[in-house]
Amino acid sequence: MKSPVSLCTGITYDRSSIQQWLESGHNTCPATMQVLPSKDFIPNLTLHRLISLWIQSSTLRPGSNSPKLLPAISEVRAKLLMERIESQSCVDSLSKVFEFVSCCEENRRFFVRFDGFVEVITGILRRKCVEIEALEMTVGILDLISSENGVKERLNKLILKSNQESNFLPAIVFILQNGSLDSRVKSVRVLDSLALDSESKRRISDSQDLICILLQLLQANSSQSLNDAVTSILTTISITRSIKSRLIENGVVEMVSNSISEKSLKLLATLSSCSEGRSAISSNTKCVAGVVDKLLKASNTATEDAVVVLWSVCCLNKEEKVREAVVKGNGVTKILVIMQREGEGTVKMMCRDLVKAVRTVCKDLCLGSYETRTTHIRPC
């Protein structure tokens, strides 16, 4: 751990790890699986001091291979590094900054607060003929600092709210085509973090080259982390029917059907809001089966997305073969369990509609007289 924090359950985690868990849609404590009444966490100062003492003592032991905290960089040193980066995008200087901000949250805050730092780093992505190593290091730094307070807004203003986005997006495309797997994931994550409003999302979606590359990466299915990052950005920018239609026409439903994840459930739920999306999902039996299989196996948020998808294709499109697929995958039992645990709300309403919709194909189940407003599941 580098920055230990405790949840309301009393369990301590590393800050970056638990933030990733909560931001991915989970509302439980990973260790106890208790539903969290609050997602707030507090620093575990005692453990933090113990970790610092351990690191200090381990670095003094002969032959120790324990990780060392980097020494603080003075403002003069930081200014010199930025001047070198600004003048020639020196890979060595970028590497030193990346190593420093990778070390801990305090180091990231130091550079983020440093006057002109964010502007200098983003400027590298707008230059021409920059070596791939420098570009990869740049997106690595941006990925690390983007979670710091106010950075996303500053980056958005610098890149997508200015006249420079036409120079920025080609650099991202170049990394996606020629960079390492890790830098590709980071590039997509940085791009996703910039899409803060409808204007930014539109500017990203207007880049034909970028969308084509993202779809190619998703089709290649080379890495789950990359798939999740690409699926997330595609969900983020799918704010208009034309964008959804473009993705559907390019076979995005078939692509995500190869491996249904929580991120792809969110994208499918978004696409199911239009008739083209519902038709594409309905015609893909593997996709429907994958969605049914994910019921109750994913986080609450992802399970709700799965319910939205099934409700859209079963109740709006009224596809008989989809209803049969739901029954075949033991979807009825899962839907009843979800309906039982949900309070009054949209998800419970959709579950009721789903139970009614599949009655016609549930010949082997005793649902003929089942009352969907009951609060318990009647045994068959």
Side-chain angles (χ1 to χ4, degrees):
M1 293 186 184
K2 294 179 180 177
S3 179
V5 294
S6 300
L7 292 179
C8 59
T9 57
I11 306 297
T12 298
Y13 302 94
D14 185 64
R15 182 187 295 270
S16 61
S17 299
I18 193 62
Q19 278 183 332
Q20 184 177 0
W21 171 266
L22 297 175
E23 289 172 358
S24 64
H26 297 91
N27 65 346
T28 57
C29 173
T32 65
M33 294 311 295
Q34 289 177 267
V35 176
L36 298 172
S38 169
K39 293 186 178 181
D40 296 334
F41 44 74
I42 58 175
N44 189 327
L45 299 179
T46 301
L47 183 56
H48 190 278
R49 284 195 295 270
L50 290 172
I51 291 172
S52 298
L53 288 171
W54 177 82
I55 291 174
Q56 291 172 15
S57 64
S58 64
T59 56
L60 296 176
R61 289 198 298 267
S64 173
N65 292 322
S66 302
K68 299 179 182 180
L69 289 176
L70 295 180
I73 293 181
S74 66
E75 291 194 6
V76 174
R77 176 63 173 162
K79 186 176 181 180
L80 180 60
L81 284 173
M82 286 201 302
E83 287 176 352
R84 289 178 178 175
I85 292 171
E86 192 171 18
S87 62
Q88 56 189 346
S89 73
C90 176
V91 174
D92 182 59
S93 297
L94 281 170
S95 178
K96 287 182 171 62
V97 174
F98 178 77
E99 188 178 6
F100 185 75
V101 298
S102 299
C103 183
C104 64
E105 195 171 348
E106 288 76 14
N107 289 1
R108 290 191 284 276
R109 288 174 181 168
F110 169 81
F111 262 114
V112 166
R113 290 194 298 264
F114 203 87
D115 185 40
F117 171 72
V118 175
E119 289 75 8
V120 169
I121 296 300
T122 55
I124 296 171
L125 297 176
R126 294 197 291 264
R127 297 178 189 173
K128 295 182 179 179
C129 302
V130 178
E131 56 267 46
I132 186 65
E133 292 84 1
L135 293 176
E136 290 182 315
M137 208 73 69
T138 300
V139 295
I141 294 170
L142 293 178
D143 183 53
L144 285 168
I145 68 172
S146 63
S147 59
E148 297 300 320
N149 187 35
V151 172
K152 291 180 181 179
E153 290 75 15
R154 289 169 65 183
L155 290 174
N156 179 277
K157 185 177 180 180
L158 282 168
I159 297 172
L160 293 178
K161 289 296 179 61
S162 68
N163 295 323
Q164 303 293 337
E165 82 281 353
S166 59
N167 296 326
F168 163 76
L169 292 176
I172 296 295
V173 170
F174 184 73
I175 296 171
L176 294 178
Q177 289 177 318
N178 303 284
S180 66
L181 175 61
D182 184 55
S183 64
R184 290 176 181 181
V185 173
K186 290 175 180 177
S187 297
V188 178
R189 285 206 303 247
V190 168
L191 195 63
D192 204 357
S193 69
L194 297 177
L196 298 177
D197 52 33
S198 57
E199 180 186 353
S200 304
K201 295 171 184 177
R202 179 188 59 78
R203 291 195 175 196
I204 293 172
S205 64
D206 283 347
S207 174
Q208 297 288 343
D209 290 342
L210 177 62
I211 300 302
C212 289
I213 294 296
L214 290 173
L215 290 172
Q216 288 172 13
L217 292 174
L218 190 60
Q219 189 172 28
N221 195 28
S222 56
S223 156
Q224 189 59 54
S225 60
L226 182 57
N227 287 354
D228 284 344
V230 171
T231 305
S232 179
I233 182 63
L234 292 179
T235 303
T236 300
I237 65 174
S238 295
I239 57 174
T240 65
R241 183 162 186 164
S242 62
I243 298 173
K244 296 173 188 175
S245 298
R246 189 197 316 169
L247 295 179
I248 293 164
E249 289 171 2
N250 283 277
V252 73
V253 172
E254 177 67 29
M255 294 175 196
V256 299
S257 299
N258 294 323
S259 178
I260 300 290
S261 64
E262 296 200 0
K263 296 291 187 182
S264 57
L265 283 173
K266 175 65 71 176
L267 177 58
L268 289 171
T270 301
L271 297 177
S272 68
S273 63
C274 67
S275 58
E276 298 97 322
R278 293 193 292 273
S279 297
I281 295 169
S282 298
S283 60
N284 191 314
T285 54
K286 182 169 63 175
C287 179
V288 175
V291 173
V292 174
D293 182 65
K294 278 293 181 180
L295 288 172
L296 298 177
K297 290 183 179 180
S299 65
N300 288 349
T301 301
T303 296
E304 290 175 8
D305 290 329
V307 170
V308 170
V309 175
L310 295 177
W311 179 83
S312 298
V313 294
C314 288
C315 301
L316 295 182
N317 265 33
K318 299 180 180 180
E319 292 283 349
E320 190 75 11
K321 62 180 180 180
V322 175
R323 298 178 186 180
E324 292 174 355
V326 172
V327 175
K328 185 178 180 180
N330 197 30
V332 178
T333 301
K334 296 178 181 179
I335 291 167
L336 291 174
V337 172
I338 296 169
M339 198 170 79
Q340 182 188 33
R341 78 181 186 187
E342 289 291 330
E344 291 299 325
T346 305
V347 175
K348 189 161 189 171
M349 178 202 72
M350 289 181 176
C351 287
R352 289 172 179 166
D353 291 345
L354 279 168
V355 172
K356 294 175 182 177
V358 299
R359 274 176 170 161
T360 56
V361 293
C362 288
K363 299 177 182 178
D364 298 328
L365 297 178
C366 303
L367 289 177
S369 59
Y370 182 78
E371 175 51 55
T372 56
R373 291 185 179 277
T374 187
T375 57
H376 67 282
I377 299 175
R378 191 188 74 178
C380 295

